[in-house]
Amino acid sequence: IEERPFIHRRFQEMAVQAGIAGAELYTANHRMPEASAISGNKIVVSRTLLNLLNDQEVVAVIGHELGHCMHIKKHFALGAASKAGFIASGILSYMAVNKLLPEPKPQNAANEERYSRRSLFRRGAVKGTAAFLGAWAGGDITRSLAVAAREDEADDEGLKLHGDREAFMSALTKMAAYLQERGFRVDGHGYRNAQERSDRLER
């Protein structure tokens, strides 16, 4: 990013403001307009993003990623909570079906063994399906809550660093339009679109 000194200078200023020691900024050749915070206080932005956005918009996106760096341990914990929600939902669903599904009785002693095997298979299939569906639904809910919490926090911290809500919203809008034009999924990090994020930051 040496060819765009404003971005590099603002990155350094924001890293100092955020109290992030040893922050580093890298670029990557990627067809998507992306930026990511990775371990070791490193921010990676794609060349596609740099070509799509102006300097102020890039700085706003980097500010958001620095917001993730400020709370990286908490955000890892939120990710772990999401996985725990997936497991817990599956267990609870299995227990609920096991409680509600009555134990069938064979009609007579002659077919008791055959009936018992068939019943066991059916009950196992039903309980397994319930556990899978419960885990999927519960995991999706906890994942969405975790994503919302960490993205909201990064939005808030990033705004304090770059101080340019309009540039951040413009960046999100351009990124969403780029993806939409190429048939990629556009869902605002899976929980909000650009306008909803803008409205929340205004409050």
Side-chain angles (χ1 to χ4, degrees):
I1 301 187
E2 288 76 13
E3 69 274 15
R4 296 171 73 172
F6 176 79
I7 295 174
H8 194 264
R9 176 173 60 80
R10 288 291 291 124
F11 165 73
Q12 293 177 320
E13 292 172 351
M14 290 190 296
V16 171
Q17 182 181 343
I20 300 173
E24 298 176 277
L25 183 61
Y26 295 91
T27 59
N29 293 319
H30 198 285
R31 62 174 180 159
M32 307 288 276
E34 293 183 333
S36 302
I38 60 177
S39 60
N41 294 330
K42 296 178 177 64
I43 307 296
V44 181
V45 296
S46 69
R47 284 287 174 187
T48 303
L49 181 138
L50 291 172
N51 293 334
L52 180 66
L53 307 181
N54 65 36
D55 284 5
Q56 289 76 16
E57 292 163 346
V58 174
V59 166
V61 171
I62 291 173
H64 171 90
E65 297 306 327
L66 286 170
H68 282 302
C69 290
M70 294 171 69
H71 301 281
I72 194 72
K73 290 183 179 179
K74 183 191 293 185
H75 293 178
F76 276 133
L78 287 169
S82 174
K83 293 180 177 63
F86 179 88
I87 296 170
S89 298
I91 293 172
L92 290 173
S93 298
Y94 183 91
M95 293 172 63
V97 171
N98 193 50
K99 187 77 173 177
L100 295 172
L101 197 64
E103 185 69 43
K105 302 294 183 183
Q107 294 176 343
N108 54 64
N111 67 354
E112 180 174 357
E113 183 178 354
R114 179 171 56 84
Y115 193 92
S116 177
R117 289 175 181 172
R118 185 183 302 170
S119 170
L120 184 64
F121 176 78
R122 287 176 177 171
R123 285 169 60 83
V126 171
K127 289 189 286 187
T129 301
F132 172 79
L133 293 175
W136 178 80
D140 191 59
I141 291 170
T142 53
R143 183 196 69 83
S144 296
L145 292 173
V147 168
R150 67 174 181 250
E151 293 302 325
D152 283 352
E153 192 163 52
D155 281 355
D156 293 338
E157 295 293 355
L159 183 59
K160 293 175 186 175
L161 296 173
H162 61 74
D164 194 340
R165 187 182 66 83
E166 288 73 21
F168 185 52
M169 291 306 107
S170 177
L172 291 178
T173 301
K174 287 183 180 180
M175 291 161 70
Y178 181 97
L179 296 175
Q180 200 164 32
E181 288 169 2
R182 289 156 180 78
F184 293 104
R185 180 182 175 187
V186 179
D187 60 1
H189 280 294
Y191 78 108
R192 297 187 200 277
N193 60 37
Q195 186 58 52
E196 289 171 335
R197 292 171 79 174
S198 177
D199 292 343
R200 194 192 69 81
L201 288 172
E202 279 188 325
R203 292 196 291 270

